[in-house]
Amino acid sequence: MENTKNNATKLSELGEFGLIDYLTKNIKLRHKQTIKGVGDDAAILKFGTKNIVVTTDLLTEGVHFDLIYFPLKHLGYKAVVVNLSDIYAMNASPKQITVSIAISSKFSLEAVDQLYQGIYLACEKYNIDLIGGDTTSSLTGLTISITAIGEIEKEKITYRNGAKENNVICVSGDLGSAYLGLQLLEREKMVFKTNPNAKPKFDGYDYILERQLKPEARKDIIEFLAINHIVPTAMIDVSDGLSSELLHICKQSDVGCKIFEDKIPFSPIAKDMAAELNIDPTVCALNGGEDYELLFTISLDDYNKIKNDPNITPIGHITEKSLGLNLIARDGTEVPLKAQGWNSFNNEK
Ligand code: ADP
Ligand code: MG
């Protein structure tokens, strides 16, 4: 790793995942109750016969959201949902959250109230108890940190590391929409900056805006898997883009994969927006992120149980490690997959 003149290493040289690896590589687990620590969507703790699932996520103003176009109620809702998504990604059921906020003096009581209306709405929708948190002041804006706690039966725990050769790779819903929603919001923000009287052009694009501003976690998919007696061999939620998530599954499972471009699910509205913005929708799915869909692998024996479900799309299969990670493009060419997910250390501030 290259050092700068004063001997300090820039965080951008490691990237987010490199930094987490560096900080956690020498962790020593001291309790037998810690079944799984760092390295998956959530940790697993075993107390008596109960398996408890814990995850935490932090959202910072200016990095994860821009309050120019992010309504505070939606932000509160999204902050809860992104945590629940990590609990579902373990095949578990979320039960409680804690909410911690750092807030600057530019926010009024009414503004914080809006944020909490969104938080309580998500709790109602997903049947979650808000059990605590912390409140402090901030010099720079709003930061929200939420921890979600869930429960799971031992037999159902699904890590990122169980994918096996010939497993079918499946994804829920559609991909790329949240990123395209963000691009639309950014475009209209630029228009507004140059001409505050211009009316934003959002007509017909509600779906992708909602995917960015008010995403849902795939509780329904976890229920579907349970009803159909499917325990995926590996699972992760799509927060950083399909490429990055496949990389996590393949690296941890010690396998390769082959996915097919023409199988990646898109909404028609996302395709329209991609065409309008002159962006390749496949790139949005691979590198966009924030779709909060579930990416999972199942054994061939379970394929018949999912093949007719409109909410689940098989997009490829797991291969042996030496074949690497590949996308078969529409024209039949094989393109190696790289993680180009969002990296918060790329932009120096
Ligand atoms: P996700 O995208 O599913 O939320 P992350 O990529 O944020 O997962 O985190 C990957 C793993 O690293 C998780 O197990 C998480 O708990 C852990 N992790 C992230 N940041 C830190 C940190 N600063 N210290 C210790 N563990 C961390
Ligand atoms: Mg995750």
Side-chain angles (χ1 to χ4, degrees):
M1 220 166 288
E2 201 182 304
N3 280 2
T4 51
K5 269 182 231 134
N6 62 2
N7 232 15
T9 307
K10 286 186 179 166
L11 294 181
S12 57
E13 287 175 33
L14 292 97
E16 184 184 341
F17 300 131
L19 177 62
I20 296 172
D21 279 349
Y22 180 85
L23 295 175
T24 60
K25 61 178 187 270
N26 295 324
I27 282 183
K28 187 172 156 244
L29 297 178
R30 295 184 172 82
H31 296 283
K32 67 176 193 309
Q33 291 89 346
T34 310
I35 304 297
K36 174 81 189 176
V38 170
D40 220 295
D41 292 287
I44 307 273
L45 314 175
K46 188 167 191 284
F47 293 103
T49 55
K50 286 271 178 223
N51 288 285
I52 307 299
V53 188
V54 184
T55 183
T56 194
D57 256 308
L58 183 71
L59 299 181
T60 316
E61 186 176 348
V63 176
H64 299 100
F65 56 89
D66 185 336
L67 289 175
I68 288 182
Y69 50 69
F70 223 118
L72 280 162
K73 186 171 174 183
H74 287 33
L75 181 62
Y77 192 88
K78 181 171 177 175
V80 177
V81 161
V82 303
N83 277 278
L84 303 186
S85 180
D86 276 324
I87 299 277
Y88 292 126
M90 304 305 291
N91 205 16
S93 309
K95 305 282 182 198
Q96 291 93 5
I97 54 166
T98 63
V99 177
S100 300
I101 53 171
I103 199 151
S104 69
S105 55
K106 76 174 178 186
F107 292 91
S108 63
L109 172 63
E110 288 73 16
V112 191
D113 191 48
Q114 286 286 314
L115 181 76
Y116 267 72
Q117 279 187 30
I119 290 172
Y120 285 123
L121 187 63
C123 287
E124 196 182 317
K125 167 118 193 233
Y126 290 90
N127 196 24
I128 303 291
D129 295 337
L130 170 50
I131 55 160
D134 198 14
T135 306
T136 183
S137 58
S138 147
L139 298 178
T140 50
L142 177 64
T143 297
I144 311 164
S145 171
I146 296 188
T147 296
I149 299 152
E151 186 187 18
I152 188 166
E153 295 149 43
K154 184 171 178 255
E155 309 71 49
K156 284 172 64 181
I157 300 176
T158 307
Y159 296 114
R160 295 173 176 179
N161 67 8
K164 299 275 179 315
E165 214 179 316
N166 296 325
N167 279 178
V168 183
I169 303 171
C170 301
V171 69
S172 64
D174 58 71
L175 298 175
S177 291
Y179 177 78
L180 284 157
L182 180 64
Q183 298 315 302
L184 175 60
L185 289 161
E186 285 289 336
R187 180 183 80 180
E188 295 308 310
K189 180 178 131 183
M190 296 314 275
V191 172
F192 179 78
K193 270 189 173 169
T194 47
N195 177 11
N197 296 321
K199 268 201 147 178
K201 290 196 196 102
F202 291 141
D203 282 357
Y205 285 123
D206 291 6
Y207 178 71
I208 58 169
L209 292 174
E210 258 186 45
R211 295 282 287 168
Q212 171 59 223
L213 297 174
K214 193 173 175 286
E216 301 292 350
R218 297 310 304 250
K219 179 177 196 250
D220 58 331
I221 298 292
I222 298 309
E223 288 165 356
F224 172 89
L225 293 173
I227 290 167
N228 289 283
H229 306 286
I230 301 171
V231 177
T233 51
M235 185 150 59
I236 188 168
D237 69 328
V238 183
S239 53
D240 296 333
L242 184 58
S243 281
S244 171
E245 316 308 354
L246 278 169
L247 226 90
H248 283 307
I249 285 189
C250 289
K251 192 177 167 200
Q252 294 203 23
S253 302
D254 216 23
V255 292
C257 72
K258 192 179 260 193
I259 60 162
F260 296 86
E261 184 179 16
D262 63 355
K263 298 272 193 279
I264 298 174
F266 294 104
S267 79
I269 298 166
K271 279 191 168 170
D272 286 353
M273 187 80 258
E276 195 179 318
L277 296 175
N278 206 9
I279 320 177
D280 182 350
T282 302
V283 174
C284 301
L286 292 175
N287 302 332
E290 291 200 291
D291 288 311
Y292 298 105
E293 295 296 346
L294 292 171
L295 176 71
F296 55 96
T297 54
I298 55 170
S299 74
L300 268 174
D301 299 343
D302 286 329
Y303 175 70
N304 278 337
K305 299 183 196 165
I306 61 105
K307 73 171 190 222
N308 293 322
D309 191 276
N311 297 312
I312 298 174
T313 311
I315 57 167
H317 57 267
I318 296 292
T319 62
E320 66 170 81
K321 187 184 182 183
S322 63
L323 297 177
L325 284 72
N326 293 292
L327 170 83
I328 310 302
R330 282 199 186 83
D331 63 5
T333 52
E334 200 164 292
V335 188
L337 288 173
K338 293 192 194 83
Q340 287 167 350
W342 187 80
N343 183 342
S344 45
F345 302 119
N346 275 345
N347 303 319
E348 283 186 52
K349 290 241 168 79

